[in-house]
């Protein structure tokens, strides 16, 4: 796939995701209207949609059920939006800017943002369980994968470790463990859920994806740390420099900015090598591996 073709695919995939999310969310006129407004505020009209694109790209490897792809893509973005709403709360990262606008609790109040996040999480599972043509076993796998990804041995566990290690010195291995759970788990699950939408899955392809996805998830976080260190708030759409301000250990504080950038590239190569034996249907996954590392926000 050429670069312009991939750029066009990204543009369309983002627009498609917005449409799926719009349809997945309760109407703003549904009661309680303010809660539904807060949910829509947190989800729509922003975000790079990397997780939804990973679902679509992995589903492209086989004969996918298009409805299942839409459901999985919406589900991972709803979970992601919920995690951002909760992470921004005063009791967690206490941030005021997200996706270039005031965070959900600044716009709607703390208790309402907490509830909006809770409801987004429930919506994700509801959408994942709507009708499609996949066999029941695959649909259960999807649900279980997402639940494990989000729970105490996944994203929530990673967030717990993160909040409880501020000011401590972590080794690189400890930092990686935390990020594999906090950020990497949902990124990896997006790939798994996408491929799980296919009727004709192969254990060899799944094994390749199981090596691709964690490397990419970690690369995403390393780049996030570099951007937090180097970019400005208006480019990022969120408050830059928060990690240093909060004395949080990061790949930049541990390795230095240049070594962190090299590490991100190494992880990208690991991800690309993992899927090297796949045919051109994996080009979308290859493009996303590049996008995640060269992104500017
Ligand atoms: C509160 C349960 C709970 C979990 C929060 C993911 C997370 C755990 C917190 C987010 C905090 C954060 C900024 C983490 C760094 C990596 C990350 C997830 C960045 C945001 O993801 P992007 O860049 O966001 O894909 P967009 O806005 O583009 O969707």
């Amino acid at each position: 796939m050429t670069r312009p073709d991939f750029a066009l695919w990204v543009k369309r995939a983002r627009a498609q995701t917005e449409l799926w999310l719009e349809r997945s969310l309760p109407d703003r006129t549904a009661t309680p209207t303010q809660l539904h407004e807060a949910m829509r505020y947190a989800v729509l009209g922003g975000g790079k949609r990397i997780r939804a694109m990973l679902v679509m790209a992995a589903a492209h490897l086989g004969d996918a059920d298009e409805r299942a792809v839409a459901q999985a893509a919406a589900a991972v973005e709803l979970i992601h939006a919920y995690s951002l709403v909760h992470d921004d709360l005063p009791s967690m990262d206490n941030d005021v800017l997200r996706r270039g606008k005031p965070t959900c609790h600044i716009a709607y109040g703390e208790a309402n943002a907490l509830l909006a996040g809770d409801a987004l999480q429930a919506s994700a599972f509801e959408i994942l369980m709507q009708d499609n043509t996949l066999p029941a076993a695959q649909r259960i796998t999807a649900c279980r994968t997402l639940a494990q990804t989000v729970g105490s041995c996944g994203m929530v566990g990673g967030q717990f470790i993160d909040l409880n290690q501020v000011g401590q010195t972590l080794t690189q291995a400890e930092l990686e463990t935390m990020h594999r759970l906090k950020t990497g788990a949902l990124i990896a699950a997006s790939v798994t859920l996408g491929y799980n939408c296919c009727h004709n899955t192969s254990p060899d392809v799944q094994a390749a994806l199981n090596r691709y996805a964690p490397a990419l998830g970690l690369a995403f976080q390393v780049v996030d740390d570099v951007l937090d260190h180097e970019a400005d708030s208006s480019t990022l759409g969120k408050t830059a420099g928060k990690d240093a301000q909060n004395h949080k250990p990061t790949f930049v504080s541990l390795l230095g900015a240049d070594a962190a950038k090299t590490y991100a590239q190494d992880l990208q190569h690991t991800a690309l090598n993992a899927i090297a034996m796949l045919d051109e249907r994996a080009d979308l996954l290859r493009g996303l591996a590049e996008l995640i590392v060269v992104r500017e926000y």
Side-chain angles (χ1 to χ4, degrees):
M1 184 174 264
T2 65
R3 269 168 204 274
D5 286 347
F6 180 70
L8 187 62
W9 179 82
V10 168
K11 202 173 162 204
R12 287 187 178 149
R14 284 180 172 153
Q16 182 65 75
T17 302
E18 192 71 11
L19 206 66
W20 287 334
L21 287 168
E22 168 73 45
R23 287 184 193 147
S24 303
L25 287 161
D27 195 89
R28 65 175 77 250
T29 59
T31 305
T33 51
Q34 212 199 359
L35 177 62
H36 294 141
E37 260 180 46
M39 290 166 71
R40 298 174 69 87
Y41 179 87
V43 172
L44 299 175
K48 295 179 286 298
R49 309 306 190 199
I50 281 170
R51 293 152 193 82
M53 288 195 285
L54 284 168
V55 169
M56 289 184 240
H60 192 68
L61 295 175
D63 169 25
D65 175 314
E66 285 310 318
R67 213 179 309 162
V69 177
Q71 291 158 355
V76 295
E77 288 293 334
L78 291 173
I79 292 288
H80 174 54
Y82 129 68
S83 79
L84 297 179
V85 169
H86 281 195
D87 183 66
D88 289 333
L89 288 170
S91 57
M92 296 210 192
D93 207 33
N94 192 18
D95 218 326
V96 295
L97 186 68
R98 172 70 62 186
R99 294 177 170 172
K101 58 187 188 183
T103 47
C104 193
H105 68 274
I106 295 293
Y108 291 91
E110 196 175 333
N112 294 336
L114 187 72
L115 293 172
D118 291 339
L120 289 174
Q121 176 169 198
S123 292
F125 286 97
E126 185 190 346
I127 284 149
L128 203 57
M129 284 293 98
Q130 283 171 356
D131 280 350
N132 60 48
T133 65
L134 293 180
Q138 260 168 277
R139 304 185 60 200
I140 290 168
T141 297
C143 208
R144 190 172 49 226
T145 300
L146 193 62
Q148 285 171 344
T149 296
V150 174
S152 61
C153 295
M155 186 178 79
V156 169
Q159 178 77 348
F160 181 91
I161 297 171
D162 191 14
L163 291 174
N164 287 283
Q165 50 75 40
V166 174
Q168 289 179 28
T169 313
L170 295 190
T171 64
Q172 187 171 343
E174 287 168 334
L175 190 64
E176 290 191 2
T177 299
M178 188 261 286
H179 286 308
R180 275 187 204 285
L181 300 177
K182 182 182 146 184
T183 317
L186 188 58
I187 289 182
S190 302
V191 175
T192 306
L193 288 173
Y195 192 54
N196 185 64
C197 292
C198 299
H199 283 286
N200 55 341
T201 56
S202 122
D204 288 348
V205 174
Q206 186 58 65
L209 295 179
N210 289 348
R211 294 193 301 276
Y212 164 90
L216 196 66
L218 197 54
F220 177 91
Q221 184 60 54
V222 177
V223 172
D224 205 74
D225 285 358
V226 171
L227 290 174
D228 184 70
H229 175 71
E230 292 192 341
D232 56 39
S233 299
S234 65
T235 307
L236 294 179
K238 61 183 180 181
T239 313
K242 279 292 292 255
D243 295 334
Q245 195 185 316
N246 292 339
H247 308 291
K248 278 192 175 183
T250 68
F251 288 99
V252 173
S253 68
L254 204 68
L255 305 174
D258 288 343
K261 285 179 201 170
T262 306
Y263 189 41
Q265 281 165 0
D266 291 346
L267 289 162
Q268 181 199 44
H269 291 140
T270 304
L272 290 173
N273 285 338
I275 56 169
M277 81 295 286
L278 302 184
D279 64 20
E280 71 282 355
R281 284 176 299 176
D283 284 352
L284 295 175
L285 288 174
R286 294 185 182 101
L288 288 172
E290 187 170 339
L291 180 75
I292 280 172
V293 173
V294 300
R295 70 199 166 98
E296 288 169 359
Y297 68 102

